[in-house]
Amino acid sequence: MTPPIRHARLDVRAVSLLLLCCLLWGINQVAAKAALTEIGPLWQAGLRSVVAGGLVWLWSAARGVRLFERDGSLAGGLLAGSLFAAEFACIFGGLQYTSASRMVVFIYLSPFVVALGMPWIAHGEKLSGRQWAGLVLAFGAVAFAFAEGFSAAQSPRQWWGDALGVAAAVLWGGTTLAIRATRLAHAPAEKTLLYQLGVSALALCAAAAWAGEPVPLQWSPRLLGLFGFQAVIVSFASYLAWFWLIRHYAATRLAVFTLSTPLFGLLAGALLLSEGISARLVAALAALAAGIVLVNR
């Protein structure tokens, strides 16, 4: 198998694709929250992996991508898929104890996990002092935008939800590192994504059944639209693009762009739910952009 050509810097195509992915992921937060009134979180996550996994299989069959040939990627695929499933379990479980604002900030510690771990995998992806400053600035922008969540009333077990948020960040970063450190680094993006969706579909649906979440038997047009967006646009199309990017570009530079996702979520809430755009959000977006520029110089 021919190793992929990996670019040290992000070109216009990569940046455009990344920003589109982050925009979709930000809107996805709104869609997932809205769908919770009609479907449980674990069934929502598990069933969207089922649908998206089927789409990946059809897409690969149409393009002649060999998904099931023996290439030594099974161990890495099972590891990455397990980390992916555990990440979502931590997020949904943690939201029972902590606020969404706090959870978002803790989840986006993930780029630090990638930045710390990548030099052990690829020495050329070590960040300089200026780039670390950019990463800290970008994360600070996200924390600033969601700072109100830290002044809300504290629940007795909020620390447990916060801890699960940190665990989710480590698992997300670990998934990226697992992809780069194993034979998945040379596997097609479709195969990498199918590992993630297949393992998470089994694990999350089993967890939903074990937790006693009711199976949604009646699907309204509203739920079909929200779920379809998550399964087709996000879990299939955007994740396929993300794993292609990981295969061809420096993971540390990609990871910092994910910090724009929660801010895109705030923008989506403002545009779709009329929540308003504050001066705090505008300042956070400016600081985020400055941090990303520093990391990618």
Side-chain angles (χ1 to χ4, degrees):
M1 186 178 295
T2 304
I5 298 174
R6 185 162 286 112
H7 305 281
R9 293 182 178 274
L10 303 183
D11 52 28
V12 174
R13 177 177 59 175
V15 170
S16 301
L17 196 54
L18 267 171
L19 289 177
L20 177 59
C21 285
C22 291
L23 173 61
L24 292 172
W25 297 340
I27 297 174
N28 182 64
Q29 295 179 23
V30 177
K33 181 177 179 179
L36 286 175
T37 58
E38 299 184 59
I39 184 173
L42 292 175
W43 278 122
Q44 183 177 184
L47 291 177
R48 75 178 186 177
S49 289
V50 171
V51 173
L55 291 174
V56 170
W57 181 79
L58 292 173
W59 165 270
S60 301
R63 299 183 70 247
V65 178
R66 298 180 178 179
L67 295 175
F68 304 107
E69 67 175 357
R70 301 182 66 175
D71 57 2
S73 65
L74 179 60
L78 293 176
L79 173 61
S82 299
L83 292 171
F84 183 81
E87 173 201 337
F88 279 97
C90 286
I91 292 171
F92 289 128
L95 284 172
Q96 298 179 71
Y97 305 105
T98 192
S99 67
S101 301
R102 294 175 68 91
M103 178 61 73
V104 163
V105 174
F106 289 120
I107 290 172
Y108 284 91
L109 287 167
S110 172
F112 289 94
V113 177
V114 176
L116 288 169
M118 276 308 301
W120 298 92
I121 299 170
H123 296 295
E125 294 195 29
K126 183 178 181 180
L127 296 183
S128 65
R130 182 190 67 246
Q131 290 170 322
W132 271 107
L135 180 57
V136 172
L137 176 61
F139 177 77
V142 175
F144 176 72
F146 288 85
E148 288 90 350
F150 287 84
S151 60
Q154 309 287 303
S155 66
R157 301 190 66 185
Q158 183 170 270
W159 66 270
W160 178 235
D162 294 346
L164 287 172
V166 174
V170 173
L171 290 164
W172 184 7
T175 302
T176 301
L177 296 175
I179 292 171
R180 285 295 305 275
T182 65
R183 294 295 297 273
L184 287 178
H186 306 303
E190 292 87 348
K191 188 167 188 173
T192 301
L193 179 55
L194 190 60
Y195 274 125
Q196 308 263 35
L197 295 173
V199 174
S200 64
L202 291 172
L204 291 169
C205 288
W210 179 80
E213 276 191 8
V215 181
L217 299 178
Q218 295 183 351
W219 292 63
S220 68
R222 172 181 176 274
L223 178 57
L224 286 172
L226 293 169
F227 181 83
F229 170 76
Q230 294 182 70
V232 179
I233 304 300
V234 176
S235 297
F236 168 59
S238 73
Y239 287 176
L240 191 61
W242 170 249
F243 291 124
W244 180 85
L245 287 165
I246 290 177
R247 190 167 184 255
H248 291 90
Y249 293 90
T252 48
R253 287 165 171 76
L254 294 173
V256 72
F257 266 88
T258 63
L259 288 165
S260 64
T261 300
L263 297 187
F264 276 129
L266 285 182
L267 286 175
L271 296 175
L272 301 177
L273 303 177
S274 301
E275 293 179 349
I277 298 177
S278 66
R280 176 185 290 271
L281 176 58
V282 174
L285 286 170
L288 174 67
I292 289 175
V293 169
L294 283 175
V295 173
N296 288 282
R297 287 187 62 182

